[in-house]
Amino acid sequence: MNEEKRPNFPDKYHLSRKESVYLLKKNIVELVYNAGKFEGLNTTLLQTEEIIKYNRANNVAVDDVLTVVNLKRGFEMLLNDLQEPLIETSNRINRIVAAEDALFPGEIRTGGVEVSTIQGRYVPPMLTEDEVNNQYGEIMNQEISDTEKALRLFLFISKNQIFWNGNVGTALLIANKIMFSNGLGLLSIPENVFMKFNELLSKYCNSNLLVNESNIISFLYEQCIFGINYLKIIQHTI
């Protein structure tokens, strides 16, 4: 029996540093708003924009303001050209994202947790920091595109819940660290496909079927990566 051909996910964008910085700054409000959905954010897009610009908004709970401010700090951290192992960057990002909610922000989880998913309660494995670091290395050393590496790292952190809290937000930011640094565009889960993503993530977490992994990677690749698309001007000669 011939082995089924593995889907191919080549890099969609090849942006310069200047283009990547412009893309991030131009879309910071929507990036924070979309990421906030994973952290229980209750603000509207307009309220999110007001918090990002003024650190406050009318009729918004203090916890929501802090969530927005922390996520903004997380995305702005991508602008820093940090030369350190990815696991250290992950810890640093989680320390920011989960500052208000985690038992030990920025530390690999050492206790058991349960996660509520569409398909019921999910109990992720408990991994040591060495095991997490080894998995990071395995993903980053695969012969696949850097975009696919970012997506697979995003799913690894999300599924294994390696931190005490803020895992999906941290996963999103570390994936964007890889994408931003390599000019690959940015990863964001738009509000109009948020429910579909949760459905696919639930199936991915609650089974080890390769089809569920393939489905969610394809979804992220097709629906959740954006960049700068230049208009092509076609000249006609008469």
Side-chain angles (χ1 to χ4, degrees), residues 8-235:
N8 188 29
F9 302 100
D11 296 330
K12 284 185 169 184
Y13 298 97
H14 300 86
L15 306 179
S16 67
R17 169 80 182 185
K18 182 178 181 180
E19 289 170 326
S20 294
V21 169
Y22 171 83
L23 185 69
L24 193 152
K25 289 185 175 179
K26 188 73 173 178
N27 294 279
I28 186 69
V29 172
E30 190 168 355
L31 285 165
V32 169
Y33 176 75
N34 289 340
K37 296 305 178 187
F38 297 111
E39 308 303 324
L41 185 65
N42 295 309
T43 60
T44 65
L45 187 62
L46 180 59
Q47 288 171 329
T48 304
E49 183 176 19
E50 290 176 344
I51 295 168
I52 287 175
K53 288 183 176 179
Y54 309 113
N55 285 348
R56 59 179 173 77
N58 293 327
N59 301 316
V60 176
V62 173
D63 286 348
D64 286 330
V65 173
L66 289 173
T67 296
V68 170
V69 171
N70 288 341
L71 285 170
K72 179 195 174 193
R73 289 177 58 207
F75 276 106
E76 288 178 339
M77 204 183 93
L78 304 185
L79 298 170
N80 301 326
D81 189 20
L82 297 174
Q83 300 298 319
E84 62 182 9
L86 271 177
I87 186 66
E88 292 183 19
T89 305
S90 299
N91 293 346
R92 188 190 301 273
I93 288 173
N94 185 260
R95 198 173 300 124
I96 294 171
V97 172
E100 317 301 329
D101 301 312
L103 189 59
F104 302 108
E107 295 184 19
I108 300 298
R109 176 172 57 85
T110 55
V113 296
E114 289 188 357
V115 181
S116 179
T117 72
I118 293 174
Q119 293 183 312
R121 305 295 289 178
Y122 163 64
V123 181
M126 194 161 60
L127 304 176
T128 66
E129 185 158 349
D130 284 341
E131 288 173 324
V132 170
N133 204 24
N134 289 338
Q135 285 297 314
Y136 272 36
E138 285 189 20
I139 292 170
M140 298 305 293
N141 290 324
Q142 289 186 55
E143 293 185 4
I144 54 179
S145 70
D146 287 331
T147 297
E148 185 173 350
K149 289 176 184 178
L151 297 181
R152 288 188 176 276
L153 192 58
F154 169 72
L155 292 176
F156 168 74
I157 297 171
S158 299
K159 180 173 184 176
N160 290 281
Q161 297 284 300
I162 66 174
F163 296 104
W164 290 96
N165 210 340
N167 282 281
V168 182
T170 301
L172 191 66
L173 280 161
I174 197 66
N176 273 309
K177 166 63 178 172
I178 296 168
M179 298 189 70
F180 177 84
S181 298
N182 292 283
L184 308 174
L186 294 171
L187 177 68
S188 185
I189 318 298
E191 189 173 20
N192 64 326
V193 297
F194 185 75
M195 291 301 296
K196 180 63 177 178
F197 168 78
N198 277 335
E199 177 187 329
L200 292 171
L201 183 63
S202 176
K203 290 179 180 178
Y204 172 66
C205 288
N206 285 286
S207 86
N208 292 317
L209 294 177
L210 290 178
V211 65
N212 290 328
E213 177 185 88
S214 179
N215 285 344
I216 194 167
I217 292 177
S218 295
F219 169 83
L220 291 169
Y221 183 80
E222 293 165 6
Q223 301 289 329
C224 304
I225 294 173
F226 69 99
I228 299 175
N229 297 303
Y230 291 99
L231 291 175
K232 292 182 179 180
I233 301 175
I234 302 175
Q235 293 182 337

